[in-house]
Amino acid sequence: MTETATQGSQGLHGIPAVRPWVFKAYLAAPSSYQPMMREWRADLAEIGCTVTSRWLDRAITGDFDPSLPHWRDWALEDIQDVINADVVISCTLESTGRGGRHAEFGMGIAFGRQAVIIGRREHIFHCLPAVPAFPDWVTFILSVQSGDWAAAHQ
């Protein structure tokens, strides 16, 4: 999508990083998952991908209060970050029942981005034929590194 990476460098888990498809990803997850999503961002960077999700670097504290202006600003940033991505990766490892990740996933589909589930399918839009679901992060990363996922979703 964004570039073709060089071959021969070491990737995660000792697999040579033959990267036929390098992409920009938006990571959609509950805000409480920030530490884990930062690890996922590092994993993606290691294989040549970039992450557009600025929410990963925000100081998110307290409950949602719609009277605070920063929520509107953050929502606009998140929309732009989804637009700037090639792929929206939605973390559904544990169901939280609420959160912007559902909206971000839907925006990704509406904007024509590839959508991916890491975890279980939670609603009808996760069941679309073009939306692959991976049981865990390592399975997804190994699929990207091997080129299997790229070939199936280009």
Side-chain angles (χ1 to χ4, degrees):
M1 303 226 16
T2 56
E3 65 180 271
T4 302
T6 59
Q7 296 186 13
S9 60
Q10 272 307 102
L12 291 173
H13 308 290
I15 294 176
V18 178
R19 300 176 295 217
W21 191 46
V22 175
F23 54 86
K24 294 183 290 181
Y26 183 89
L27 298 174
S31 59
S32 62
Y33 283 35
Q34 266 186 331
M36 182 170 62
M37 293 301 104
R38 290 174 182 147
E39 291 175 14
W40 288 16
R41 175 175 58 187
D43 290 347
L44 287 168
E46 223 177 295
I47 63 170
C49 299
T50 56
V51 172
T52 64
S53 309
R54 287 179 278 179
W55 73 269
L56 298 179
D57 299 315
R58 291 184 192 138
I60 302 172
T61 59
D63 290 330
F64 173 69
D65 177 354
S67 68
L68 299 175
H70 70 270
W71 293 108
R72 290 186 296 274
D73 298 338
W74 288 355
L76 293 171
E77 282 183 2
D78 289 352
I79 292 168
Q80 190 60 54
D81 292 349
V82 170
I83 289 169
N84 291 338
D86 303 312
V87 178
V88 174
I89 301 171
S90 186
C91 176
T92 63
L93 294 173
E94 292 181 23
S95 182
T96 60
R98 57 171 284 238
R101 68 188 172 96
H102 300 297
E104 295 153 354
F105 179 86
M107 282 188 284
I109 291 173
F111 294 145
R113 305 308 183 256
Q114 173 63 58
V116 176
I117 303 298
I118 308 298
R120 64 182 190 83
R121 297 177 193 271
E122 294 181 316
H123 52 70
I124 62 172
F125 298 104
H126 287 178
C127 298
L128 291 169
V131 177
F134 294 87
D136 55 60
W137 182 245
V138 171
T139 302
F140 172 71
I141 288 292
L142 292 174
S143 180
V144 170
Q145 279 188 282
S146 70
D148 293 341
W149 184 71
H153 295 92
Q154 283 182 323

